[in-house]
Amino acid sequence: MTVYDAPLKDMRFVLHEVLQIANYSNLPGFSDASEDLVDAILEEGAKLASNVLHPINQSGDQQGCTRQDDGAVTTPDGFKDAYHRFCEGGWQGLSFDPEYGGQGLPYILAVAVNEMISGANMAFGMYPGLARGAADAIYVHGTDEQKSTYLPKMISGEWGGTMNLTESHCGTDLGLLRAKAVPQDDGSYRITGSKIFISAGEHDLTENIIHLVLARIEGGPEGVKGISLFIVPKFHINEDGSNGARNGVMCGAIEEKMGIHANSTCVMNYDDAQGYLLGEPHKGLRAMFTMMNEARIGVALQGMAISEVAYQNGAAYAKDRLQGRSLTGVKNPDGAADPIIVHPDVRRMLMDHRAFTEGARAWMYWTALYADLHHKSGDEAERQKADDYLGLMTPILKAYLTDKGYWHATNAQQVLGGHGYITEWGMEQFVRDARITMIYEGANGIQALDLVGRKLMKDGGRALQTFIKELDDFIADNQGNEDMQPYLDGVTTAKGHLGEATMWLSANAMANFDNAGAGSMDFLHLFALTSLSYSWAQMAKTALEKQAAGSSDEFYKNKLITGRYFLERLLPDTASHLAKLKSGAEAVMALPAEAF
Amino acid sequence: MTVYDAPLKDMRFVLHEVLQIANYSNLPGFSDASEDLVDAILEEGAKLASNVLHPINQSGDQQGCTRQDDGAVTTPDGFKDAYHRFCEGGWQGLSFDPEYGGQGLPYILAVAVNEMISGANMAFGMYPGLARGAADAIYVHGTDEQKSTYLPKMISGEWGGTMNLTESHCGTDLGLLRAKAVPQDDGSYRITGSKIFISAGEHDLTENIIHLVLARIEGGPEGVKGISLFIVPKFHINEDGSNGARNGVMCGAIEEKMGIHANSTCVMNYDDAQGYLLGEPHKGLRAMFTMMNEARIGVALQGMAISEVAYQNGAAYAKDRLQGRSLTGVKNPDGAADPIIVHPDVRRMLMDHRAFTEGARAWMYWTALYADLHHKSGDEAERQKADDYLGLMTPILKAYLTDKGYWHATNAQQVLGGHGYITEWGMEQFVRDARITMIYEGANGIQALDLVGRKLMKDGGRALQTFIKELDDFIADNQGNEDMQPYLDGVTTAKGHLGEATMWLSANAMANFDNAGAGSMDFLHLFALTSLSYSWAQMAKTALEKQAAGSSDEFYKNKLITGRYFLERLLPDTASHLAKLKSGAEAVMALPAEAF
């Protein structure tokens, strides 16, 4: 009963008008991405999302995946057909290197398409998403032979892919892992061990699945420094590229879980499975991180995308459901009651959504543009800046967009009252699906620790300094523009709180690093709000320019209303995050463990 | 795999030491409730909760309720036996009038017991909870004959009870309801209509179910002023009190929903069912509100109780799970890693829980004591004050404790990482179960509207003024106590923000009532934090007194640490709630409806 309509107008606004991607035509791939082509791709993606993927979102949740006695896994009805159409459209290779069958288009465009796929059917999107992540790792770390063996079929969608990190006793702390790899005379390895929580671990969508598996080479060093990454295909691959015999890897069970039922979350058992080293021995964790950073951006996108689709369905209900009368006089005199969108508290929930989701979209796409610059810019300094920004923003995006994505899915469910709790209406699925995004690819607490423990002070804090300078420049450039003043004030206040928080951490973390840990999540949320204040300022500037140039498009007017709402209703939280952070670790850590 | 351990020590602390219920022995029922008896009851309740109710919480969720073809509903395995033991223990009548078989003990004690029942098995607790609510309505509004007919068996637990308000097109706005009642010559009515979302609507736990049903007497006025309340027993009742023939009411379907699967949420179809007017004709809504206010307190309790049980299981995992090393040096040198409770951000989540849950318990029990005073005090002024407080606090408790209960259930799930998402671990059930508490018995937005639109300004704002004076007196009484100063400062700041918010509403709601609606939820949360600051101050005072009297009990030390955490980490949000509220309705309401 839910619907998904890709927010194309907003996407185009961010891509063409705010970020002006046409200015980057000097970059490989961007020259092909004319505004018309981008729009055509977005429109095709929107059709796929609304007409093919979303209609099987609820049924997929209800049916789930089924493991057969032989370990085979059946996806829900319609998934095979939808996947076939996804592959036919060439979506898997949209931004991948043409040498391996990709279309080489900008990553930022792939991000926009992925937003639509995740919003329409998150569980579906994870099958190609995981495969793309595995392909990225092979692309960066594989030998030429590995690349030519695996990538073309992974990019066409004929083969799937997974990442296998977690074991039952270790997830965050991979140094504890037990899966082992025994070297063979032919240069391959025999992998043995059991992995859990493997998304898309087994399914019937592809002819083969290329598992990337973390294991310890027998006799290798203890801890994270002895972990290597292996390619373990489900079926051996013959010389001619066809599937050979089955490898020693099997789905042992499908986990029963809260949501994303249509994605098979598997226990994967490796029993003397033949694997091939990917990258250098004992440096598997680093190679895996190649996948994980992109994967974290992908998860952030899921958080935002679920917020968008939940908003759409909450808003539709609010306009349709007649209940009570407006506090300021009857608005729908011909009806038995007014639509509930007249009620300010219902509005508040919907406006919270818009202020978050539209801001998050602009911030996310802005970051994705830096991913393109990082990979493609010919300018060393620009590449470095892009790399800095990506490293800095990835944990913040991942944690904030998923924390808030979940929260907003909950709010959208609230708009429906009792109906929101009923399965048939589909809103509770958004909440259940969104919930995993706060956990996987590094729980959000780990993202906060990554931010304060690693990213913030890396290279002497260069990334943060560059970002703050960008904000300062923006403020200076727009000084005197009266309409921009509230936005500049917003950025200034948030930036001030962020600066104060950073100074506090600098001054107090050395003496007791728990001070950084105890404030890490507040710091992350404070940082996110600062980034959003900048994204909103950028969008407001664009909207004001369009209006000044004579546009009477309601879109710009509404954008500025939503921007004002952001300043008034979301941004004030920077102060309380700062206050909490500055209270330090003492009360957090004072209780003895046994008191809990 | 989850556990529930009733927080007896904290309950006793609040009942005996903070609220000192022994001081109320002049009230009926309290004289029987000696400290020993209270403790014995709490201990028995704790056993029931941990040993009988909690073990069937997860299995009940997984099995759910089953509707047979004839409309009968089967509860999950073990529920009948557990209900039998519940009745045997006399729990249903704990605080009910002895004239009808109750034990007449204080309501505050029933609240403590209900906290345990809801924490152990919320879905179970709803069966007797709804029956108790129906019994309360009959007790207040019924004729002597109705009371003697229904109450003894409802209080013994032999018969169940429900409340039937919602229809598919109306929940909040009951003026739209369509169920009709046709007067019969014998003084009874024939009820026809369909009700949805009826908790415990049909089940196999009791011999009969006494439905309370809102319907419009044929020819009665339109809107809420034409609604009457009827008693509709599932089985007709013979002269001798035994069950007669089946009445015309049937469960048409069980709703498939997000959680509380072990409670049957029914579509109830009334087809010329014989019903008996309860209270006056056309005044059914007022009679129903008797049930709803108690029910709202009960739902608030569910929110807090789920937070408590989720905390317990999150904390147990955090002490057990080895992953990573402390930021400040190895804490568990003999293990492969440290337990994750060493990590400040894990602590933060657990301390958030404690600061919320312990504060909420004190505030809830404090309010429950006013419910006793309201019903039982011999002093008119005291009864009025109690009534004022109950009216004021009910919507705040309902919305805040359920918003935060859900949020904390989510946080506890987060502590488990990936395992939190897996059904087997039981944490995701807490989240799914807690979710309904924000919706039913009046969605939280309705509570906020009730607060700013009705309760705040009722009787010239008397309730708020009394509460503020109580805070002022407390501050004055404790002035000069250095250890209390941080708590007094906390109350002072929160009270100041609350006062400013109230003034802003007074000044701006008249011109545009949307200003009140748009700020209603922030006002409610600000009020809740102010109330919690007072509860924490009361608890701190007690703990400090115990320490000054020579107690070295760790409990008091830990209470003060948690209190400090509350001041540092939860209370700062009052400022941002105030800032958001003062931004008014303009940006909230500015978008045209079609822009959503």
Side-chain angles (χ1 to χ4, degrees):
Chain A
M1 283 186 55
T2 55
V3 295
Y4 177 74
D5 264 319
L8 291 177
K9 177 119 187 173
D10 202 51
M11 290 175 160
R12 285 195 287 246
F13 169 69
V14 175
L15 293 171
H16 301 312
E17 298 177 2
V18 180
L19 300 176
Q20 303 183 41
I21 59 171
N23 290 348
Y24 298 85
S25 60
N26 60 319
L27 300 184
F30 280 73
S31 52
D32 303 326
S34 67
E35 182 163 340
D36 284 351
L37 182 76
V38 166
D39 289 354
I41 289 172
L42 292 178
E43 269 159 36
E44 283 306 307
K47 282 184 207 161
L48 179 82
S50 293
N51 304 337
V52 178
L53 303 183
H54 195 64
I56 54 172
N57 187 49
Q58 279 181 270
S59 56
D61 174 64
Q62 280 157 45
Q63 191 182 354
C65 293
T66 312
R67 180 180 174 277
Q68 315 298 333
D69 290 340
D70 64 355
V73 170
T74 314
T75 53
D77 293 345
F79 270 55
K80 277 180 89 157
D81 181 52
Y83 185 73
H84 186 66
R85 293 173 71 172
F86 173 86
C87 294
E88 266 185 350
W91 296 105
Q92 182 69 324
L94 192 69
S95 63
F96 208 81
D97 187 343
E99 191 179 338
Y100 301 102
Q103 297 176 59
L105 286 163
Y107 175 70
I108 191 174
L109 185 56
V111 163
V113 169
N114 279 342
E115 183 195 330
M116 298 191 261
I117 292 170
S118 295
N121 195 326
M122 179 173 145
F124 175 91
M126 291 171 67
Y127 292 104
L130 270 293
R132 172 64 202 260
D136 287 339
I138 294 173
Y139 183 72
V140 174
H141 299 284
T143 63
D144 286 346
E145 195 194 332
Q146 286 173 333
K147 290 198 266 191
S148 63
T149 301
Y150 299 107
L151 293 180
K153 293 205 175 176
M154 293 177 82
I155 290 310
S156 69
E158 287 164 89
W159 294 352
T162 69
M163 48 201 287
N164 291 241
L165 292 75
T166 305
E167 301 180 6
S168 63
H169 64 290
C170 73
T172 299
D173 189 354
L174 289 166
L176 303 175
L177 74 74
R178 293 178 191 147
K180 69 170 183 194
V182 181
Q184 305 296 303
D185 291 343
D186 65 356
S188 73
Y189 292 78
R190 290 286 169 176
I191 316 286
T192 300
S194 187
K195 298 286 182 176
I196 64 167
F197 303 159
I198 308 307
S199 298
E202 177 63 83
H203 56 78
D204 55 2
L205 300 182
T206 57
E207 294 164 14
N208 202 351
I209 300 174
I210 310 305
H211 301 292
L212 298 193
V213 185
L214 283 185
R216 195 183 304 279
I217 296 172
E218 221 175 29
E222 295 275 298
V224 291
K225 289 181 178 148
I227 299 173
S228 304
L229 185 59
F230 298 91
I231 302 174
V232 183
K234 173 179 166 185
F235 289 102
H236 293 289
I237 297 160
N238 296 324
E239 289 287 319
D240 65 357
S242 62
N243 282 352
R246 186 70 193 255
N247 202 350
V249 50
M250 187 72 83
C251 164
I254 298 181
E255 304 278 7
E256 287 188 39
K257 56 197 192 295
M258 186 181 191
I260 50 166
H261 292 147
N263 198 277
S264 55
T265 306
C266 298
V267 175
M268 298 299 294
N269 296 323
Y270 293 84
D271 184 11
D272 263 345
Q274 190 166 28
Y276 308 93
L277 188 66
L278 178 60
E280 294 177 59
H282 314 317
K283 295 196 171 159
L285 212 58
R286 195 189 302 169
M288 196 54 123
F289 267 104
T290 312
M291 290 169 68
M292 287 187 65
N293 276 329
E294 305 264 324
R296 284 172 179 180
I297 296 276
V299 173
L301 202 51
Q302 291 176 332
M304 189 238 295
I306 296 277
S307 178
E308 169 68 39
V309 68
Y311 161 80
Q312 289 180 13
N313 288 279
Y317 185 89
K319 288 189 280 188
D320 183 61
R321 173 79 170 177
L322 304 182
Q323 203 79 177
R325 290 295 186 185
S326 166
L327 301 171
T328 56
V330 170
K331 298 290 185 288
N332 177 35
D334 299 335
D338 289 340
I340 61 171
I341 201 165
V342 305
H343 302 308
D345 192 64
V346 171
R347 286 267 186 161
R348 175 190 61 80
M349 292 191 279
L350 296 174
M351 289 300 296
D352 270 357
H353 257 281
R354 289 178 73 113
F356 163 69
T357 311
E358 294 177 18
R361 180 173 296 118
W363 175 26
M364 166 62 84
Y365 290 11
W366 175 87
T367 309
L369 186 58
Y370 279 103
D372 277 311
L373 288 166
H374 170 51
H375 290 304
K376 295 173 178 171
S377 173
D379 178 48
E380 166 86 37
E382 195 168 45
R383 279 205 308 277
Q384 186 192 72
K385 177 184 165 190
D387 192 30
D388 284 353
Y389 274 10
L390 271 180
L392 181 66
M393 292 298 177
T394 296
I396 310 174
L397 281 167
K398 196 282 179 181
Y400 187 80
L401 267 56
T402 61
D403 272 0
K404 294 296 173 183
Y406 173 74
W407 178 246
H408 286 300
T410 300
N411 259 344
Q413 181 188 20
Q414 189 75 13
V415 171
L416 276 79
H419 294 108
Y421 201 64
I422 304 298
T423 306
E424 183 191 357
W425 287 81
M427 302 302 289
E428 58 96 32
Q429 183 191 347
F430 296 140
V431 176
R432 289 186 289 101
D433 286 355
R435 183 64 187 89
I436 189 59
T437 64
M438 297 158 74
I439 298 173
Y440 64 15
E441 298 302 329
N444 286 355
I446 298 297
Q447 307 297 330
L449 199 57
D450 180 44
L451 175 62
V452 300
R454 216 170 352 214
K455 300 300 175 56
L456 190 61
M457 300 305 173
K458 191 166 170 262
D459 305 311
R462 190 177 64 205
L464 174 64
Q465 286 157 22
T466 309
F467 182 62
I468 295 295
K469 180 164 186 319
E470 180 164 342
L471 301 187
D472 287 337
D473 290 348
F474 182 88
I475 293 166
D477 290 349
N478 292 281
Q479 212 58 261
N481 180 339
E482 205 173 302
D483 292 329
M484 280 299 289
Q485 200 55 48
Y487 295 93
L488 303 182
D489 292 346
V491 175
T492 302
T493 303
K495 186 175 69 74
H497 289 159
L498 182 64
E500 204 177 324
T502 308
M503 298 235 308
W504 191 91
L505 288 179
S506 307
N508 293 281
M510 282 299 157
N512 176 6
F513 198 74
D514 279 345
N515 278 322
S520 58
M521 191 57 87
D522 281 301
F523 185 78
L524 186 147
H525 277 245
L526 168 52
F527 205 137
L529 284 166
T530 308
S531 299
L532 283 174
S533 76
Y534 180 45
S535 293
W536 269 111
Q538 291 173 297
M539 289 196 286
K541 181 182 162 82
T542 304
L544 288 165
E545 283 168 359
K546 293 289 171 186
Q547 287 185 332
S551 172
S552 59
D553 192 335
E554 289 284 314
F555 178 85
Y556 300 116
K557 197 176 153 200
N558 296 343
K559 184 62 80 179
L560 292 166
I561 290 169
T562 309
R564 178 178 162 192
Y565 185 94
F566 169 79
L567 295 173
E568 292 178 353
R569 295 271 178 166
L570 270 59
L571 201 55
D573 285 335
T574 58
S576 53
H577 287 304
L578 176 63
K580 292 172 191 178
L581 176 137
K582 286 171 75 177
S583 71
E586 217 173 293
V588 179
M589 304 304 289
L591 283 189
E594 58 275 15
F596 284 89
Chain B
M1 281 185 59
T2 53
V3 294
Y4 176 75
D5 264 318
L8 291 177
K9 176 119 188 171
D10 202 50
M11 291 175 161
R12 285 195 288 245
F13 169 69
V14 175
L15 293 172
H16 301 312
E17 298 177 1
V18 179
L19 301 176
Q20 303 182 42
I21 58 171
N23 292 348
Y24 298 85
S25 59
N26 60 320
L27 299 184
F30 280 73
S31 52
D32 304 326
S34 66
E35 183 163 340
D36 284 351
L37 181 76
V38 166
D39 289 354
I41 288 172
L42 292 178
E43 268 159 39
E44 283 306 308
K47 282 184 207 160
L48 179 82
S50 293
N51 304 337
V52 178
L53 302 183
H54 196 64
I56 55 171
N57 187 50
Q58 278 181 271
S59 57
D61 174 65
Q62 279 157 45
Q63 191 182 351
C65 294
T66 311
R67 180 182 176 277
Q68 315 298 333
D69 290 339
D70 64 356
V73 170
T74 314
T75 53
D77 293 346
F79 271 54
K80 277 180 90 157
D81 181 53
Y83 185 74
H84 186 66
R85 293 173 71 172
F86 174 87
C87 295
E88 267 185 350
W91 296 106
Q92 182 68 324
L94 193 68
S95 63
F96 208 82
D97 187 342
E99 191 179 339
Y100 301 103
Q103 297 175 57
L105 286 162
Y107 175 69
I108 191 174
L109 184 56
V111 163
V113 170
N114 279 342
E115 183 195 330
M116 298 191 260
I117 293 170
S118 295
N121 194 327
M122 178 173 146
F124 175 91
M126 292 171 67
Y127 292 104
L130 270 293
R132 172 65 201 260
D136 287 339
I138 294 173
Y139 184 72
V140 174
H141 301 283
T143 62
D144 287 345
E145 193 195 335
Q146 287 173 332
K147 289 198 268 190
S148 63
T149 302
Y150 298 107
L151 293 180
K153 293 205 175 178
M154 294 177 82
I155 291 309
S156 70
E158 286 163 272
W159 293 353
T162 69
M163 48 202 287
N164 290 242
L165 292 75
T166 306
E167 301 181 5
S168 64
H169 64 290
C170 73
T172 300
D173 189 355
L174 289 166
L176 303 174
L177 73 75
R178 292 177 191 148
K180 68 169 185 194
V182 181
Q184 305 296 302
D185 292 342
D186 64 357
S188 73
Y189 292 78
R190 290 285 170 179
I191 315 286
T192 300
S194 187
K195 297 286 181 176
I196 64 168
F197 303 160
I198 308 308
S199 298
E202 177 62 84
H203 56 78
D204 55 3
L205 301 182
T206 57
E207 292 165 15
N208 202 351
I209 301 175
I210 310 306
H211 301 290
L212 299 194
V213 185
L214 283 185
R216 195 183 303 280
I217 296 171
E218 223 174 27
E222 295 274 299
V224 291
K225 290 179 179 150
I227 299 173
S228 305
L229 185 59
F230 298 91
I231 301 174
V232 183
K234 173 179 165 184
F235 289 101
H236 293 290
I237 297 161
N238 296 325
E239 289 287 319
D240 64 357
S242 64
N243 281 353
R246 186 68 193 254
N247 202 349
V249 49
M250 187 72 82
C251 165
I254 298 181
E255 304 277 8
E256 288 188 38
K257 55 196 192 296
M258 187 181 190
I260 48 166
H261 293 146
N263 198 276
S264 54
T265 307
C266 297
V267 175
M268 296 302 293
N269 296 323
Y270 293 84
D271 184 12
D272 263 346
Q274 190 167 28
Y276 309 93
L277 188 66
L278 178 60
E280 294 176 59
H282 315 317
K283 295 196 172 160
L285 212 58
R286 195 190 301 169
M288 196 54 120
F289 267 105
T290 311
M291 289 170 70
M292 287 187 65
N293 277 329
E294 305 264 323
R296 284 173 178 179
I297 297 275
V299 173
L301 202 51
Q302 290 176 334
M304 189 238 295
I306 296 278
S307 178
E308 169 68 38
V309 67
Y311 161 80
Q312 289 181 13
N313 288 279
Y317 185 89
K319 287 189 280 188
D320 183 60
R321 173 80 169 176
L322 304 182
Q323 203 79 178
R325 290 295 186 185
S326 165
L327 301 170
T328 55
V330 170
K331 299 289 186 287
N332 177 34
D334 299 336
D338 290 340
I340 62 171
I341 200 164
V342 305
H343 301 306
D345 192 64
V346 172
R347 286 267 186 160
R348 175 189 61 81
M349 293 191 279
L350 297 174
M351 289 300 296
D352 271 357
H353 257 280
R354 289 178 73 114
F356 163 69
T357 312
E358 295 177 17
R361 180 173 297 118
W363 175 26
M364 165 63 83
Y365 289 12
W366 174 87
T367 309
L369 185 57
Y370 279 102
D372 278 310
L373 287 166
H374 170 51
H375 291 301
K376 297 173 177 171
S377 174
D379 178 48
E380 166 87 36
E382 194 169 47
R383 278 205 308 278
Q384 185 191 75
K385 177 184 166 191
D387 192 31
D388 284 353
Y389 274 10
L390 269 180
L392 182 65
M393 291 298 177
T394 295
I396 310 174
L397 281 167
K398 195 282 181 181
Y400 186 80
L401 267 55
T402 61
D403 272 2
K404 294 298 175 183
Y406 173 74
W407 177 246
H408 285 300
T410 300
N411 258 345
Q413 181 188 22
Q414 189 75 11
V415 171
L416 275 78
H419 295 107
Y421 202 64
I422 304 298
T423 305
E424 182 191 357
W425 286 82
M427 302 302 289
E428 58 96 32
Q429 183 192 346
F430 296 139
V431 176
R432 288 185 290 102
D433 286 355
R435 184 64 187 89
I436 189 59
T437 64
M438 298 159 73
I439 297 172
Y440 63 15
E441 297 302 329
N444 286 356
I446 297 297
Q447 307 297 329
L449 198 57
D450 180 43
L451 175 63
V452 300
R454 216 169 353 212
K455 302 298 176 57
L456 191 59
M457 301 305 173
K458 191 166 170 263
D459 304 311
R462 190 178 63 203
L464 174 65
Q465 286 156 23
T466 309
F467 182 63
I468 295 294
K469 178 162 187 320
E470 180 164 342
L471 300 187
D472 287 337
D473 290 348
F474 182 88
I475 293 167
D477 290 348
N478 292 281
Q479 212 57 260
N481 180 339
E482 206 173 302
D483 293 328
M484 280 300 290
Q485 201 54 51
Y487 295 93
L488 304 181
D489 291 346
V491 175
T492 302
T493 304
K495 187 175 69 75
H497 289 160
L498 182 64
E500 204 177 326
T502 308
M503 297 231 315
W504 191 92
L505 288 178
S506 307
N508 292 281
M510 282 300 156
N512 178 5
F513 197 75
D514 279 345
N515 278 322
S520 59
M521 191 58 86
D522 281 301
F523 185 78
L524 186 146
H525 278 245
L526 167 52
F527 206 137
L529 285 165
T530 308
S531 299
L532 282 175
S533 75
Y534 179 47
S535 293
W536 269 111
Q538 292 173 296
M539 289 195 286
K541 180 182 161 83
T542 304
L544 288 165
E545 282 167 359
K546 293 289 171 185
Q547 286 186 332
S551 172
S552 59
D553 192 337
E554 289 284 313
F555 178 85
Y556 301 116
K557 199 177 150 197
N558 296 343
K559 183 62 79 179
L560 292 165
I561 290 169
T562 308
R564 178 179 163 192
Y565 185 94
F566 169 80
L567 295 173
E568 292 179 354
R569 294 271 176 165
L570 270 59
L571 199 56
D573 284 335
T574 59
S576 53
H577 288 304
L578 176 63
K580 292 172 191 179
L581 175 138
K582 286 171 74 177
S583 70
E586 216 174 294
V588 179
M589 304 304 289
L591 283 188
E594 58 275 16
F596 285 88

